[in-house]
Amino acid sequence: MRILLLSDIHSNLDALEACLAAAPEYDSVVNLGDIVGYGANPNEVIERSRQIGKVFVRGNHDKAACGLIDLKDFNPLAALATTWTRDQLTPGNLEWLRSLPIGPVQIDGVPDVQFVHGSPADEDEYVVTARDAVEPLMLTSTAVTFFGHTHLQGCFTMNQVHLDAFRPVYKTVGQSESSDVPLKNGMRYMVNPGSVGQPRDGDWRAGFAVFDSDARIVTFCRVPYNLKAAQDRILAANLPQRLATRLAAGR
Ligand code: ZN
């Protein structure tokens, strides 16, 4: 099965559409959460996400936007965008966000693979470095964990003697590119497909991945999208300017 992995879309419809247009062939879609927050198209992104796939885990911004958690742990910019998002969402979409499952979730026909927002033990945990990944990799018995939350594309891998981190290296800054990573037997992996709507690794292009569960290959992808359109929508919505400028910086 070929699974399209989308994470941290953050209401960026332009980036989502670019990913869907550029994605290599896939059989199903798994969404790793933070569907909304920061960007200007929360309802459209929810509706499009529901059209293309049925497997979701909830992110912290999804929980905050629908009132499942309060905003005390959010920085002022994130809190402001969350309040704006909550006001925009239709009653049906608010209800749908409230119903999203906590990870880990698994899917039929794809054994030994799980999907989370932060980490298997804690949906809100940030796994940024290889050191952060040690405990989650040790505690889970599942070979491959796909996660999001950090907006950093790449993977961590471990066995009894070896711990490693991998970030795809791309040749351009503005074109569509992909990078294949074959997964080895006997290793555990945490794989982040990157953020569709607000990358934070200094590369403004939308990030996603496709996992071929038979060949056990992860294909990391970056695609350019209509950045100006996404920024204009943020400004037209009277959201903070920083939310528009950060998209260009990939931060
Ligand atoms: Zn996020």
Side-chain angles (χ1 to χ4, degrees):
M1 189 187 291
R2 292 174 60 86
I3 303 163
L4 174 63
L5 294 147
L6 303 174
S7 191
D8 298 278
I9 303 170
H10 282 293
S11 302
N12 188 336
L13 184 65
D14 300 282
L16 175 59
E17 291 297 355
C19 292
L20 295 175
E25 232 176 292
Y26 56 86
D27 306 301
S28 66
V29 180
V30 175
N31 189 315
L32 302 175
D34 277 4
I35 300 150
V36 299
Y38 296 129
N41 291 92
N43 286 305
E44 294 87 341
V45 164
I46 287 176
E47 280 142 29
R48 191 75 170 107
S49 299
R50 294 179 69 180
Q51 239 174 38
I52 57 173
K54 291 188 175 59
V55 183
F56 294 85
V57 291
R58 67 187 192 178
N60 51 319
H61 285 258
D62 304 321
K63 286 190 288 182
C66 67
L68 284 178
I69 55 170
D70 64 36
L71 297 172
K72 68 174 173 19
D73 294 331
F74 275 47
N75 67 54
L77 200 63
L80 203 148
T82 302
T83 307
W84 179 89
T85 300
R86 195 181 294 165
D87 290 344
Q88 304 299 312
L89 287 169
T90 65
N93 284 338
L94 279 168
E95 198 50 50
W96 180 78
L97 284 177
R98 281 186 207 112
S99 74
L100 289 177
I102 307 174
V105 304
Q106 295 185 296
I107 54 179
D108 289 344
V110 186
D112 226 10
V113 174
Q114 64 185 355
F115 306 95
V116 304
H117 185 63
S119 86
D122 179 353
E123 61 178 343
D124 295 328
E125 180 180 358
Y126 286 94
V127 180
V128 177
T129 65
R131 185 180 295 185
D132 298 335
V134 172
E135 199 174 287
L137 283 165
M138 274 171 47
L139 290 177
T140 185
S141 55
T142 306
V144 184
T145 301
F146 288 98
F147 73 106
H149 198 35
T150 63
H151 301 210
L152 300 170
Q153 191 178 51
C155 63
F156 303 108
T157 178
M158 194 175 87
N159 63 10
Q160 283 84 344
V161 291
H162 194 71
L163 172 69
D164 211 356
F166 171 85
R167 292 255 166 87
V169 178
Y170 297 112
K171 294 188 182 71
T172 75
V173 289
Q175 289 165 31
S176 278
E177 288 187 75
S178 66
S179 171
D180 281 354
V181 178
L183 305 188
K184 297 185 187 113
N185 287 327
M187 304 289 287
R188 282 194 197 152
Y189 288 88
M190 285 192 75
V191 182
N192 188 326
S195 169
V196 171
Q198 195 198 76
R200 293 181 190 159
D201 52 8
D203 184 336
W204 68 275
R205 292 173 292 184
F208 65 96
V210 174
F211 176 54
D212 184 326
S213 65
D214 302 314
R216 291 178 65 80
I217 294 172
V218 176
T219 303
F220 291 104
C221 302
R222 293 307 273 260
V223 296
Y225 69 96
N226 193 338
L227 179 69
K228 174 83 168 48
Q231 292 178 315
D232 285 349
R233 293 179 208 251
I234 286 169
L235 299 174
N238 277 325
L239 282 160
Q241 188 171 15
R242 162 97 179 104
L243 294 177
T245 53
R246 73 184 298 177
L247 293 180
R251 295 286 174 201

PDB file of all heavy atoms in Angstrom, residues 29-63:
ATOM      1  N   VAL A  29      -4.654   8.074   2.347  1.00  0.00           N
ATOM      2  CA  VAL A  29      -4.056   9.274   2.955  1.00  0.00           C
ATOM      3  C   VAL A  29      -4.140   9.160   4.474  1.00  0.00           C
ATOM      4  O   VAL A  29      -5.186   8.782   5.008  1.00  0.00           O
ATOM      5  CB  VAL A  29      -4.815  10.548   2.498  1.00  0.00           C
ATOM      6  CG1 VAL A  29      -4.198  11.797   3.123  1.00  0.00           C
ATOM      7  CG2 VAL A  29      -4.829  10.657   0.982  1.00  0.00           C
ATOM      8  N   VAL A  30      -3.061   9.468   5.149  1.00  0.00           N
ATOM      9  CA  VAL A  30      -3.080   9.585   6.607  1.00  0.00           C
ATOM     10  C   VAL A  30      -2.662  11.004   6.968  1.00  0.00           C
ATOM     11  O   VAL A  30      -1.649  11.514   6.487  1.00  0.00           O
ATOM     12  CB  VAL A  30      -2.131   8.574   7.280  1.00  0.00           C
ATOM     13  CG1 VAL A  30      -2.087   8.809   8.794  1.00  0.00           C
ATOM     14  CG2 VAL A  30      -2.569   7.148   6.983  1.00  0.00           C
ATOM     15  N   ASN A  31      -3.490  11.630   7.823  1.00  0.00           N
ATOM     16  CA  ASN A  31      -3.262  13.011   8.239  1.00  0.00           C
ATOM     17  C   ASN A  31      -2.825  13.024   9.705  1.00  0.00           C
ATOM     18  O   ASN A  31      -3.544  12.529  10.574  1.00  0.00           O
ATOM     19  CB  ASN A  31      -4.563  13.802   8.051  1.00  0.00           C
ATOM     20  CG  ASN A  31      -4.367  15.287   8.246  1.00  0.00           C
ATOM     21  OD1 ASN A  31      -3.710  15.720   9.182  1.00  0.00           O
ATOM     22  ND2 ASN A  31      -4.954  16.076   7.357  1.00  0.00           N
ATOM     23  N   LEU A  32      -1.639  13.570   9.967  1.00  0.00           N
ATOM     24  CA  LEU A  32      -1.041  13.489  11.303  1.00  0.00           C
ATOM     25  C   LEU A  32      -1.369  14.679  12.207  1.00  0.00           C
ATOM     26  O   LEU A  32      -0.737  14.866  13.241  1.00  0.00           O
ATOM     27  CB  LEU A  32       0.486  13.333  11.176  1.00  0.00           C
ATOM     28  CG  LEU A  32       0.958  12.111  10.376  1.00  0.00           C
ATOM     29  CD1 LEU A  32       2.478  12.135  10.213  1.00  0.00           C
ATOM     30  CD2 LEU A  32       0.528  10.822  11.063  1.00  0.00           C
ATOM     31  N   GLY A  33      -2.366  15.466  11.812  1.00  0.00           N
ATOM     32  CA  GLY A  33      -2.868  16.486  12.729  1.00  0.00           C
ATOM     33  C   GLY A  33      -2.342  17.890  12.503  1.00  0.00           C
ATOM     34  O   GLY A  33      -1.492  18.127  11.661  1.00  0.00           O
ATOM     35  N   ASP A  34      -2.862  18.824  13.321  1.00  0.00           N
ATOM     36  CA  ASP A  34      -2.693  20.263  13.105  1.00  0.00           C
ATOM     37  C   ASP A  34      -3.174  20.629  11.699  1.00  0.00           C
ATOM     38  O   ASP A  34      -2.460  21.224  10.884  1.00  0.00           O
ATOM     39  CB  ASP A  34      -1.266  20.749  13.374  1.00  0.00           C
ATOM     40  CG  ASP A  34      -1.028  21.018  14.861  1.00  0.00           C
ATOM     41  OD1 ASP A  34      -1.939  20.758  15.669  1.00  0.00           O
ATOM     42  OD2 ASP A  34       0.054  21.505  15.209  1.00  0.00           O
ATOM     43  N   ILE A  35      -4.416  20.262  11.480  1.00  0.00           N
ATOM     44  CA  ILE A  35      -5.089  20.563  10.224  1.00  0.00           C
ATOM     45  C   ILE A  35      -5.338  22.068  10.148  1.00  0.00           C
ATOM     46  O   ILE A  35      -5.226  22.674   9.085  1.00  0.00           O
ATOM     47  CB  ILE A  35      -6.410  19.765  10.163  1.00  0.00           C
ATOM     48  CG1 ILE A  35      -6.094  18.263  10.256  1.00  0.00           C
ATOM     49  CG2 ILE A  35      -7.208  20.069   8.901  1.00  0.00           C
ATOM     50  CD1 ILE A  35      -7.176  17.459  10.912  1.00  0.00           C
ATOM     51  N   VAL A  36      -5.663  22.660  11.308  1.00  0.00           N
ATOM     52  CA  VAL A  36      -5.981  24.097  11.350  1.00  0.00           C
ATOM     53  C   VAL A  36      -4.983  24.852  12.233  1.00  0.00           C
ATOM     54  O   VAL A  36      -4.100  24.259  12.846  1.00  0.00           O
ATOM     55  CB  VAL A  36      -7.422  24.327  11.870  1.00  0.00           C
ATOM     56  CG1 VAL A  36      -8.422  23.664  10.950  1.00  0.00           C
ATOM     57  CG2 VAL A  36      -7.579  23.830  13.308  1.00  0.00           C
ATOM     58  N   GLY A  37      -5.171  26.175  12.289  1.00  0.00           N
ATOM     59  CA  GLY A  37      -4.302  27.049  13.081  1.00  0.00           C
ATOM     60  C   GLY A  37      -3.280  27.722  12.194  1.00  0.00           C
ATOM     61  O   GLY A  37      -2.688  27.073  11.336  1.00  0.00           O
ATOM     62  N   TYR A  38      -3.088  29.025  12.385  1.00  0.00           N
ATOM     63  CA  TYR A  38      -2.121  29.883  11.686  1.00  0.00           C
ATOM     64  C   TYR A  38      -2.590  30.401  10.327  1.00  0.00           C
ATOM     65  O   TYR A  38      -2.481  31.579  10.041  1.00  0.00           O
ATOM     66  CB  TYR A  38      -0.757  29.205  11.494  1.00  0.00           C
ATOM     67  CG  TYR A  38      -0.001  28.876  12.737  1.00  0.00           C
ATOM     68  CD1 TYR A  38       0.516  27.597  12.950  1.00  0.00           C
ATOM     69  CD2 TYR A  38       0.214  29.845  13.713  1.00  0.00           C
ATOM     70  CE1 TYR A  38       1.227  27.295  14.116  1.00  0.00           C
ATOM     71  CE2 TYR A  38       0.920  29.549  14.878  1.00  0.00           C
ATOM     72  CZ  TYR A  38       1.429  28.278  15.063  1.00  0.00           C
ATOM     73  OH  TYR A  38       2.132  27.968  16.200  1.00  0.00           O
ATOM     74  N   GLY A  39      -3.080  29.546   9.443  1.00  0.00           N
ATOM     75  CA  GLY A  39      -3.436  29.954   8.083  1.00  0.00           C
ATOM     76  C   GLY A  39      -4.875  30.450   7.989  1.00  0.00           C
ATOM     77  O   GLY A  39      -5.638  30.424   8.965  1.00  0.00           O
ATOM     78  N   ALA A  40      -5.256  30.874   6.778  1.00  0.00           N
ATOM     79  CA  ALA A  40      -6.505  31.621   6.599  1.00  0.00           C
ATOM     80  C   ALA A  40      -7.675  30.786   6.076  1.00  0.00           C
ATOM     81  O   ALA A  40      -8.759  31.323   5.873  1.00  0.00           O
ATOM     82  CB  ALA A  40      -6.256  32.800   5.662  1.00  0.00           C
ATOM     83  N   ASN A  41      -7.469  29.468   5.848  1.00  0.00           N
ATOM     84  CA  ASN A  41      -8.552  28.677   5.254  1.00  0.00           C
ATOM     85  C   ASN A  41      -8.903  27.412   6.061  1.00  0.00           C
ATOM     86  O   ASN A  41      -8.845  26.294   5.532  1.00  0.00           O
ATOM     87  CB  ASN A  41      -8.174  28.271   3.824  1.00  0.00           C
ATOM     88  CG  ASN A  41      -8.154  29.460   2.890  1.00  0.00           C
ATOM     89  OD1 ASN A  41      -7.113  30.091   2.694  1.00  0.00           O
ATOM     90  ND2 ASN A  41      -9.301  29.805   2.324  1.00  0.00           N
ATOM     91  N   PRO A  42      -9.278  27.584   7.323  1.00  0.00           N
ATOM     92  CA  PRO A  42      -9.534  26.386   8.146  1.00  0.00           C
ATOM     93  C   PRO A  42     -10.677  25.513   7.628  1.00  0.00           C
ATOM     94  O   PRO A  42     -10.528  24.283   7.571  1.00  0.00           O
ATOM     95  CB  PRO A  42      -9.852  26.967   9.534  1.00  0.00           C
ATOM     96  CG  PRO A  42     -10.207  28.402   9.303  1.00  0.00           C
ATOM     97  CD  PRO A  42      -9.440  28.836   8.088  1.00  0.00           C
ATOM     98  N   ASN A  43     -11.806  26.129   7.256  1.00  0.00           N
ATOM     99  CA  ASN A  43     -12.936  25.302   6.807  1.00  0.00           C
ATOM    100  C   ASN A  43     -12.616  24.570   5.511  1.00  0.00           C
ATOM    101  O   ASN A  43     -12.886  23.371   5.367  1.00  0.00           O
ATOM    102  CB  ASN A  43     -14.188  26.172   6.617  1.00  0.00           C
ATOM    103  CG  ASN A  43     -14.789  26.578   7.945  1.00  0.00           C
ATOM    104  OD1 ASN A  43     -15.096  25.727   8.791  1.00  0.00           O
ATOM    105  ND2 ASN A  43     -14.954  27.876   8.140  1.00  0.00           N
ATOM    106  N   GLU A  44     -11.996  25.281   4.565  1.00  0.00           N
ATOM    107  CA  GLU A  44     -11.676  24.670   3.272  1.00  0.00           C
ATOM    108  C   GLU A  44     -10.668  23.531   3.435  1.00  0.00           C
ATOM    109  O   GLU A  44     -10.777  22.502   2.774  1.00  0.00           O
ATOM    110  CB  GLU A  44     -11.106  25.721   2.311  1.00  0.00           C
ATOM    111  CG  GLU A  44     -12.091  26.813   1.910  1.00  0.00           C
ATOM    112  CD  GLU A  44     -12.111  27.995   2.894  1.00  0.00           C
ATOM    113  OE1 GLU A  44     -11.664  27.838   4.053  1.00  0.00           O
ATOM    114  OE2 GLU A  44     -12.599  29.068   2.486  1.00  0.00           O
ATOM    115  N   VAL A  45      -9.697  23.731   4.317  1.00  0.00           N
ATOM    116  CA  VAL A  45      -8.680  22.688   4.516  1.00  0.00           C
ATOM    117  C   VAL A  45      -9.297  21.455   5.189  1.00  0.00           C
ATOM    118  O   VAL A  45      -8.980  20.316   4.826  1.00  0.00           O
ATOM    119  CB  VAL A  45      -7.469  23.246   5.306  1.00  0.00           C
ATOM    120  CG1 VAL A  45      -6.602  22.118   5.866  1.00  0.00           C
ATOM    121  CG2 VAL A  45      -6.634  24.137   4.395  1.00  0.00           C
ATOM    122  N   ILE A  46     -10.185  21.673   6.156  1.00  0.00           N
ATOM    123  CA  ILE A  46     -10.863  20.518   6.772  1.00  0.00           C
ATOM    124  C   ILE A  46     -11.671  19.772   5.716  1.00  0.00           C
ATOM    125  O   ILE A  46     -11.604  18.539   5.606  1.00  0.00           O
ATOM    126  CB  ILE A  46     -11.791  20.972   7.931  1.00  0.00           C
ATOM    127  CG1 ILE A  46     -10.956  21.397   9.140  1.00  0.00           C
ATOM    128  CG2 ILE A  46     -12.764  19.851   8.320  1.00  0.00           C
ATOM    129  CD1 ILE A  46     -11.781  21.954  10.295  1.00  0.00           C
ATOM    130  N   GLU A  47     -12.431  20.507   4.923  1.00  0.00           N
ATOM    131  CA  GLU A  47     -13.298  19.846   3.949  1.00  0.00           C
ATOM    132  C   GLU A  47     -12.489  19.077   2.906  1.00  0.00           C
ATOM    133  O   GLU A  47     -12.810  17.939   2.557  1.00  0.00           O
ATOM    134  CB  GLU A  47     -14.246  20.876   3.319  1.00  0.00           C
ATOM    135  CG  GLU A  47     -15.432  21.151   4.265  1.00  0.00           C
ATOM    136  CD  GLU A  47     -15.895  22.609   4.299  1.00  0.00           C
ATOM    137  OE1 GLU A  47     -15.728  23.302   3.286  1.00  0.00           O
ATOM    138  OE2 GLU A  47     -16.424  23.039   5.354  1.00  0.00           O
ATOM    139  N   ARG A  48     -11.407  19.673   2.444  1.00  0.00           N
ATOM    140  CA  ARG A  48     -10.545  19.003   1.459  1.00  0.00           C
ATOM    141  C   ARG A  48      -9.876  17.766   2.082  1.00  0.00           C
ATOM    142  O   ARG A  48      -9.784  16.710   1.453  1.00  0.00           O
ATOM    143  CB  ARG A  48      -9.476  19.987   0.971  1.00  0.00           C
ATOM    144  CG  ARG A  48      -8.701  19.509  -0.229  1.00  0.00           C
ATOM    145  CD  ARG A  48      -9.517  19.604  -1.497  1.00  0.00           C
ATOM    146  NE  ARG A  48      -8.681  19.355  -2.658  1.00  0.00           N
ATOM    147  CZ  ARG A  48      -8.727  18.243  -3.387  1.00  0.00           C
ATOM    148  NH1 ARG A  48      -9.584  17.283  -3.087  1.00  0.00           N
ATOM    149  NH2 ARG A  48      -7.941  18.097  -4.441  1.00  0.00           N
ATOM    150  N   SER A  49      -9.438  17.899   3.313  1.00  0.00           N
ATOM    151  CA  SER A  49      -8.781  16.776   3.991  1.00  0.00           C
ATOM    152  C   SER A  49      -9.743  15.609   4.159  1.00  0.00           C
ATOM    153  O   SER A  49      -9.362  14.441   4.012  1.00  0.00           O
ATOM    154  CB  SER A  49      -8.258  17.209   5.364  1.00  0.00           C
ATOM    155  OG  SER A  49      -7.316  18.248   5.231  1.00  0.00           O
ATOM    156  N   ARG A  50     -11.000  15.905   4.480  1.00  0.00           N
ATOM    157  CA  ARG A  50     -11.990  14.843   4.668  1.00  0.00           C
ATOM    158  C   ARG A  50     -12.370  14.177   3.349  1.00  0.00           C
ATOM    159  O   ARG A  50     -12.729  13.000   3.318  1.00  0.00           O
ATOM    160  CB  ARG A  50     -13.247  15.411   5.340  1.00  0.00           C
ATOM    161  CG  ARG A  50     -12.967  15.882   6.740  1.00  0.00           C
ATOM    162  CD  ARG A  50     -14.199  16.457   7.384  1.00  0.00           C
ATOM    163  NE  ARG A  50     -15.207  15.422   7.662  1.00  0.00           N
ATOM    164  CZ  ARG A  50     -16.370  15.681   8.232  1.00  0.00           C
ATOM    165  NH1 ARG A  50     -16.689  16.918   8.569  1.00  0.00           N
ATOM    166  NH2 ARG A  50     -17.226  14.706   8.457  1.00  0.00           N
ATOM    167  N   GLN A  51     -12.282  14.966   2.263  1.00  0.00           N
ATOM    168  CA  GLN A  51     -12.570  14.428   0.929  1.00  0.00           C
ATOM    169  C   GLN A  51     -11.561  13.354   0.521  1.00  0.00           C
ATOM    170  O   GLN A  51     -11.907  12.371  -0.113  1.00  0.00           O
ATOM    171  CB  GLN A  51     -12.404  15.571  -0.070  1.00  0.00           C
ATOM    172  CG  GLN A  51     -13.582  15.931  -0.906  1.00  0.00           C
ATOM    173  CD  GLN A  51     -13.226  17.192  -1.715  1.00  0.00           C
ATOM    174  OE1 GLN A  51     -12.097  17.360  -2.181  1.00  0.00           O
ATOM    175  NE2 GLN A  51     -14.208  18.053  -1.867  1.00  0.00           N
ATOM    176  N   ILE A  52     -10.297  13.564   0.872  1.00  0.00           N
ATOM    177  CA  ILE A  52      -9.234  12.717   0.321  1.00  0.00           C
ATOM    178  C   ILE A  52      -8.861  11.541   1.215  1.00  0.00           C
ATOM    179  O   ILE A  52      -8.200  10.615   0.747  1.00  0.00           O
ATOM    180  CB  ILE A  52      -7.956  13.534   0.017  1.00  0.00           C
ATOM    181  CG1 ILE A  52      -7.465  14.253   1.285  1.00  0.00           C
ATOM    182  CG2 ILE A  52      -8.217  14.538  -1.113  1.00  0.00           C
ATOM    183  CD1 ILE A  52      -6.132  14.946   1.127  1.00  0.00           C
ATOM    184  N   GLY A  53      -9.248  11.575   2.501  1.00  0.00           N
ATOM    185  CA  GLY A  53      -8.825  10.480   3.381  1.00  0.00           C
ATOM    186  C   GLY A  53      -9.681  10.348   4.615  1.00  0.00           C
ATOM    187  O   GLY A  53     -10.444  11.256   4.958  1.00  0.00           O
ATOM    188  N   LYS A  54      -9.536   9.207   5.279  1.00  0.00           N
ATOM    189  CA  LYS A  54     -10.374   8.935   6.454  1.00  0.00           C
ATOM    190  C   LYS A  54      -9.565   8.752   7.724  1.00  0.00           C
ATOM    191  O   LYS A  54     -10.128   8.630   8.810  1.00  0.00           O
ATOM    192  CB  LYS A  54     -11.198   7.662   6.210  1.00  0.00           C
ATOM    193  CG  LYS A  54     -12.270   7.827   5.158  1.00  0.00           C
ATOM    194  CD  LYS A  54     -13.166   6.600   5.121  1.00  0.00           C
ATOM    195  CE  LYS A  54     -14.329   6.794   4.168  1.00  0.00           C
ATOM    196  NZ  LYS A  54     -13.876   7.067   2.789  1.00  0.00           N
ATOM    197  N   VAL A  55      -8.243   8.694   7.604  1.00  0.00           N
ATOM    198  CA  VAL A  55      -7.422   8.409   8.782  1.00  0.00           C
ATOM    199  C   VAL A  55      -6.761   9.698   9.267  1.00  0.00           C
ATOM    200  O   VAL A  55      -6.019  10.348   8.529  1.00  0.00           O
ATOM    201  CB  VAL A  55      -6.346   7.345   8.473  1.00  0.00           C
ATOM    202  CG1 VAL A  55      -5.559   7.006   9.726  1.00  0.00           C
ATOM    203  CG2 VAL A  55      -6.987   6.099   7.876  1.00  0.00           C
ATOM    204  N   PHE A  56      -7.056  10.026  10.534  1.00  0.00           N
ATOM    205  CA  PHE A  56      -6.556  11.264  11.135  1.00  0.00           C
ATOM    206  C   PHE A  56      -6.089  11.001  12.564  1.00  0.00           C
ATOM    207  O   PHE A  56      -6.621  10.115  13.222  1.00  0.00           O
ATOM    208  CB  PHE A  56      -7.686  12.310  11.235  1.00  0.00           C
ATOM    209  CG  PHE A  56      -8.200  12.810   9.910  1.00  0.00           C
ATOM    210  CD1 PHE A  56      -9.191  12.108   9.225  1.00  0.00           C
ATOM    211  CD2 PHE A  56      -7.716  13.984   9.363  1.00  0.00           C
ATOM    212  CE1 PHE A  56      -9.670  12.560   8.006  1.00  0.00           C
ATOM    213  CE2 PHE A  56      -8.201  14.449   8.142  1.00  0.00           C
ATOM    214  CZ  PHE A  56      -9.177  13.735   7.464  1.00  0.00           C
ATOM    215  N   VAL A  57      -5.114  11.769  13.016  1.00  0.00           N
ATOM    216  CA  VAL A  57      -4.910  11.933  14.459  1.00  0.00           C
ATOM    217  C   VAL A  57      -4.997  13.428  14.739  1.00  0.00           C
ATOM    218  O   VAL A  57      -4.707  14.252  13.873  1.00  0.00           O
ATOM    219  CB  VAL A  57      -3.560  11.372  14.966  1.00  0.00           C
ATOM    220  CG1 VAL A  57      -3.529   9.862  14.897  1.00  0.00           C
ATOM    221  CG2 VAL A  57      -2.383  11.954  14.205  1.00  0.00           C
ATOM    222  N   ARG A  58      -5.381  13.763  15.957  1.00  0.00           N
ATOM    223  CA  ARG A  58      -5.568  15.176  16.262  1.00  0.00           C
ATOM    224  C   ARG A  58      -4.255  15.824  16.673  1.00  0.00           C
ATOM    225  O   ARG A  58      -3.372  15.197  17.258  1.00  0.00           O
ATOM    226  CB  ARG A  58      -6.595  15.329  17.376  1.00  0.00           C
ATOM    227  CG  ARG A  58      -6.106  14.783  18.703  1.00  0.00           C
ATOM    228  CD  ARG A  58      -7.199  14.803  19.743  1.00  0.00           C
ATOM    229  NE  ARG A  58      -6.643  14.554  21.075  1.00  0.00           N
ATOM    230  CZ  ARG A  58      -7.378  14.546  22.176  1.00  0.00           C
ATOM    231  NH1 ARG A  58      -8.681  14.736  22.109  1.00  0.00           N
ATOM    232  NH2 ARG A  58      -6.807  14.329  23.352  1.00  0.00           N
ATOM    233  N   GLY A  59      -4.123  17.109  16.362  1.00  0.00           N
ATOM    234  CA  GLY A  59      -2.967  17.883  16.796  1.00  0.00           C
ATOM    235  C   GLY A  59      -3.355  18.859  17.894  1.00  0.00           C
ATOM    236  O   GLY A  59      -4.553  19.065  18.160  1.00  0.00           O
ATOM    237  N   ASN A  60      -2.374  19.476  18.514  1.00  0.00           N
ATOM    238  CA  ASN A  60      -2.669  20.419  19.595  1.00  0.00           C
ATOM    239  C   ASN A  60      -3.463  21.625  19.102  1.00  0.00           C
ATOM    240  O   ASN A  60      -4.340  22.133  19.808  1.00  0.00           O
ATOM    241  CB  ASN A  60      -1.375  20.855  20.313  1.00  0.00           C
ATOM    242  CG  ASN A  60      -0.295  21.329  19.374  1.00  0.00           C
ATOM    243  OD1 ASN A  60      -0.088  20.743  18.314  1.00  0.00           O
ATOM    244  ND2 ASN A  60       0.402  22.390  19.737  1.00  0.00           N
ATOM    245  N   HIS A  61      -3.195  22.087  17.872  1.00  0.00           N
ATOM    246  CA  HIS A  61      -3.971  23.223  17.343  1.00  0.00           C
ATOM    247  C   HIS A  61      -5.414  22.818  17.042  1.00  0.00           C
ATOM    248  O   HIS A  61      -6.319  23.642  17.179  1.00  0.00           O
ATOM    249  CB  HIS A  61      -3.300  23.789  16.090  1.00  0.00           C
ATOM    250  CG  HIS A  61      -2.075  24.589  16.406  1.00  0.00           C
ATOM    251  ND1 HIS A  61      -2.058  25.965  16.412  1.00  0.00           N
ATOM    252  CD2 HIS A  61      -0.831  24.196  16.763  1.00  0.00           C
ATOM    253  CE1 HIS A  61      -0.857  26.395  16.749  1.00  0.00           C
ATOM    254  NE2 HIS A  61      -0.088  25.337  16.966  1.00  0.00           N
ATOM    255  N   ASP A  62      -5.610  21.571  16.629  1.00  0.00           N
ATOM    256  CA  ASP A  62      -6.984  21.089  16.397  1.00  0.00           C
ATOM    257  C   ASP A  62      -7.763  21.076  17.705  1.00  0.00           C
ATOM    258  O   ASP A  62      -8.923  21.496  17.763  1.00  0.00           O
ATOM    259  CB  ASP A  62      -6.953  19.676  15.790  1.00  0.00           C
ATOM    260  CG  ASP A  62      -6.127  19.620  14.519  1.00  0.00           C
ATOM    261  OD1 ASP A  62      -6.194  20.580  13.726  1.00  0.00           O
ATOM    262  OD2 ASP A  62      -5.408  18.616  14.323  1.00  0.00           O
ATOM    263  N   LYS A  63      -7.089  20.597  18.763  1.00  0.00           N
ATOM    264  CA  LYS A  63      -7.735  20.539  20.084  1.00  0.00           C
ATOM    265  C   LYS A  63      -8.060  21.941  20.600  1.00  0.00           C
ATOM    266  O   LYS A  63      -9.132  22.168  21.145  1.00  0.00           O
ATOM    267  CB  LYS A  63      -6.793  19.868  21.104  1.00  0.00           C
ATOM    268  CG  LYS A  63      -6.668  18.384  20.950  1.00  0.00           C
ATOM    269  CD  LYS A  63      -5.932  17.765  22.140  1.00  0.00           C
ATOM    270  CE  LYS A  63      -4.459  18.080  22.146  1.00  0.00           C
ATOM    271  NZ  LYS A  63      -3.738  17.449  23.273  1.00  0.00           N
TER     272      LYS A  63
END
